[in-house]
Amino acid sequence: MPGSSRTRNFFEPLERSEVAAMWRERFGIPESAFDGYRFYRKAQSVWVVSDVDLPGLSYEALGMRMMDLKGRVWKPTTCALQVFGRLASRNMVHLDDDQARAFLAGGTQEIESATEPGYAVVFYRGEVLGCGLYSRGRLISQIPKEMRSAGCQEGDET
Amino acid sequence: MDWLERYRRIVPDFEDFKAAQQRRLLPSARINLLKTERSRAMEHLEEEGAKARPFEWYPLGLQLDSERAGKLRANLLGYIHIQEELSMVPPLVLDPKPGERVLDLCASPGSKTTQISQMMGNRGLVVANEPSLSRIAPLRSNCERLGALNVAITRYDGRRFPRGPFDKVLVDAPCSSEGRARRDPKVLSRCSPKRSLDLQRLQIGLLKNALRLARAGGLVVYSTCTYAPEENEMVVESALNEARLERISIPGLRESPGITEWDGSDLSEELSCTARYYPHMNDTGGFFVARLIKN
């Protein structure tokens, strides 16, 4: 049942090479990092899902929302950077203990970095924390509210 | 009036069962191998001063001694997921393999969905269905945080989910949740025979459709977090003309066999293959699990 009309109507398939080129250009991530995945566009978002035939169903979500195309420049999601950002070779920011804590809380801070203005992969001790917006010496955390260490959040669940 | 008294005749060591309801249950979590390694997750927990003790029966499951488990960095980064201990049982009974096509019919908030995805190493497909729009958001956010990339989310009424076939289907059905009473004693105040029978109608509809959606010889796991036979054995019994039961045994976890008599009526003897988990036997909540093979 791959590629039924309903799947196509809402989630439009994208070429892997097209998505990979954008990530290579901004972050220097090799195209091979995206082998084994499929990509779809729905409205102003790009989604990534494991490479598998999808039955003809009406879908709310496929895998993970990976990119937001609304703005002047595209924005990677924090979750997608946590999966694919490890292989970045450009536009990275490395944080120390205190900076990482502030970043995870959703804060903005002064950081000296050689990174170009725009979205950056934020690292702490070799692990990707998520997406930051770097501009004029300031790093603005883009961690989604429900993943921040500060503020209220639904904790326990079954 | 104590609602749990109705189970005096079916729960072994009933006074111990009653006493266990009063004891505090520590939070628990599952290590998420889709995002990290076991050792790295444990390092993060140790750095934050969260004492973590692995379950004897499941090395990826941890008992956590932490006041703010949901706010731990390991949880926010998706290295662990806060999940009830017994909620980790149904995916193990389902035993999904990489490359299979699996349906999780009542998926939100996605604890079992993401465990299934992890067991499949993100290969193959998990269709995670959730009818309620407001419950789609937590399901999505958990799948994304945990890096479960082989999950596709749908929003059908599970009784009318349109088409398969699937190799395996999990029906973790809406239920009266009596097994959550150690976390939230209020659940018991909402229980009544009428409520269980109303839920039973829904549960039978879900299980029948799950069997329709599974391939011939495919596996359907039915689970609840309640003790009510109306929502457990009596639901499974309604499906026994379309499937056979396989006995459930998780090494290191003590189960009690499903009951074959309730309220003066005999039920199928085959139902003793299903498993009941009680708080006093493993220091957990309560759960019911059945493993059905479609004819």
Side-chain angles (χ1 to χ4, degrees):
Chain A
M1 296 172 275
S4 82
S5 58
R6 295 202 80 173
T7 311
R8 275 202 301 271
N9 282 345
F10 293 98
F11 287 91
E12 179 195 349
L14 286 177
E15 288 294 326
R16 180 182 302 146
S17 57
E18 193 184 337
V19 174
M22 295 167 87
W23 285 66
R24 189 180 54 235
E25 190 191 328
R26 176 72 197 172
F27 300 114
I29 295 172
E31 182 163 348
S32 60
F34 302 100
D35 289 350
Y37 298 99
R38 293 183 182 198
F39 302 87
Y40 292 86
R41 178 170 178 168
K42 181 183 171 187
Q44 294 299 311
S45 293
V46 175
W47 300 68
V48 54
V49 63
S50 294
D51 188 6
V52 64
D53 285 340
L54 294 166
L57 298 164
S58 172
Y59 292 102
E60 297 287 319
L62 294 180
M64 169 190 287
R65 210 169 68 87
M66 172 190 200
M67 298 160 70
D68 186 336
L69 307 176
K70 271 199 302 285
R72 194 171 48 82
V73 293
W74 65 272
K75 176 183 176 180
T77 64
T78 274
C79 288
L81 285 182
Q82 288 176 354
V83 175
F84 299 105
R86 265 172 307 189
L87 297 171
S89 55
R90 355 178 1 209
N91 291 314
M92 305 173 292
V93 176
H94 294 269
L95 303 183
D96 66 25
D97 285 4
D98 289 343
Q99 292 166 336
R101 211 168 288 124
F103 179 80
L104 287 172
T108 296
Q109 52 195 318
E110 309 276 327
I111 303 269
E112 263 186 57
S113 171
T115 188
E116 303 160 42
Y119 295 112
V121 191
V122 176
F123 281 85
Y124 170 58
R125 295 188 312 192
E127 289 172 311
V128 176
L129 295 184
C131 178
L133 176 59
Y134 190 71
S135 166
R136 296 175 193 174
R138 295 196 317 160
L139 181 70
I140 306 163
S141 173
Q142 305 292 306
I143 298 264
K145 280 191 191 67
E146 70 273 14
M147 291 174 69
R148 288 181 193 167
S149 57
C152 60
Q153 185 207 328
E154 194 66 26
D156 293 22
E157 57 198 26
T158 51
Chain B
M1 194 198 74
D2 183 347
W3 174 255
L4 294 177
E5 279 296 324
R6 75 195 296 254
Y7 304 126
R8 185 173 280 279
R9 287 185 52 219
I10 62 169
V11 177
D13 305 313
F14 187 75
E15 293 306 325
D16 293 345
F17 169 77
K18 290 287 294 285
Q21 302 293 336
Q22 311 302 323
R23 284 201 298 273
R24 175 174 171 246
L25 189 56
L26 286 173
S28 54
R30 172 173 54 82
I31 296 174
N32 176 36
L33 298 180
L34 293 174
K35 287 261 294 265
T36 193
E37 291 157 14
R38 180 196 174 78
S39 57
R40 199 71 199 94
M42 297 302 274
E43 279 170 33
H44 271 275
L45 291 170
E46 197 179 323
E47 279 172 21
E48 289 185 277
K51 288 200 190 69
R53 194 173 58 80
F55 302 152
E56 280 167 33
W57 63 276
Y58 187 44
L60 293 179
L62 304 172
Q63 195 177 65
L64 284 183
D65 203 347
S66 167
E67 290 295 315
R68 302 184 77 212
K71 283 293 182 193
L72 291 170
R73 192 171 60 222
N75 188 54
L76 297 170
L77 293 176
Y79 298 169
I80 64 165
H81 176 63
I82 308 301
Q83 180 176 357
E84 289 296 337
E85 178 166 357
L86 291 179
S87 155
M88 301 176 206
V89 169
L92 295 184
V93 174
L94 194 72
D95 193 25
K97 299 279 192 274
E100 286 184 328
R101 185 182 279 191
V102 177
L103 172 63
D104 185 354
L105 199 55
C106 316
S108 191
S111 300
K112 299 177 190 74
T113 311
T114 51
Q115 187 180 353
I116 289 166
S117 169
Q118 158 168 338
M119 291 171 79
M120 296 167 73
N122 259 341
R123 291 197 299 270
L125 177 68
V126 187
V127 175
N129 184 67
E130 171 54 49
S132 155
L133 183 60
S134 65
R135 287 167 59 87
I136 294 278
L139 172 60
R140 251 192 70 190
S141 117
N142 280 324
C143 288
E144 294 192 336
R145 179 177 53 90
L146 297 169
L149 287 165
N150 66 333
V151 177
I153 297 177
T154 58
R155 188 162 71 89
Y156 296 100
D157 179 330
R159 292 166 293 187
R160 286 183 279 279
F161 187 97
R163 64 184 69 86
F166 291 91
D167 298 304
K168 291 170 180 172
V169 184
L170 174 62
V171 185
D172 185 49
C175 70
S176 53
S177 308
E178 295 162 2
R180 296 196 71 250
R182 277 182 81 181
R183 290 252 182 260
D184 179 12
K186 287 197 296 291
V187 295
L188 296 180
S189 64
R190 292 192 290 268
C191 292
S192 72
K194 178 175 184 306
R195 179 145 181 268
S196 281
L197 290 173
D198 285 348
L199 284 162
Q200 183 189 72
R201 267 198 299 279
L202 169 62
Q203 291 154 344
I204 288 175
L206 292 167
L207 181 55
K208 293 238 168 182
N209 199 30
L211 281 163
R212 185 182 71 83
L213 295 165
R215 65 167 167 80
L219 177 66
V220 174
V221 170
Y222 176 81
S223 60
T224 72
C225 59
T226 197
Y227 310 114
E230 294 89 341
E231 301 177 52
N232 293 331
E233 287 87 349
M234 291 166 75
V235 171
V236 174
E237 183 168 56
S238 76
L240 288 183
N241 53 347
E242 296 165 65
R244 65 185 167 82
L245 286 172
E246 280 189 338
R247 188 168 299 281
I248 291 171
S249 177
I250 305 275
L253 203 56
R254 289 179 61 207
E255 77 277 348
S256 190
I259 61 169
T260 55
E261 189 255 310
W262 175 247
D263 207 15
S265 300
D266 286 335
L267 305 172
S268 165
E269 288 296 323
E270 205 187 342
L271 290 165
S272 65
C273 290
T274 64
R276 292 178 153 262
Y277 295 94
Y278 293 122
H280 58 306
M281 292 184 153
N282 304 288
D283 192 21
T284 57
F287 238 82
F288 171 84
V289 187
R291 180 178 157 102
L292 301 98
I293 309 293
K294 180 176 171 174
N295 293 339

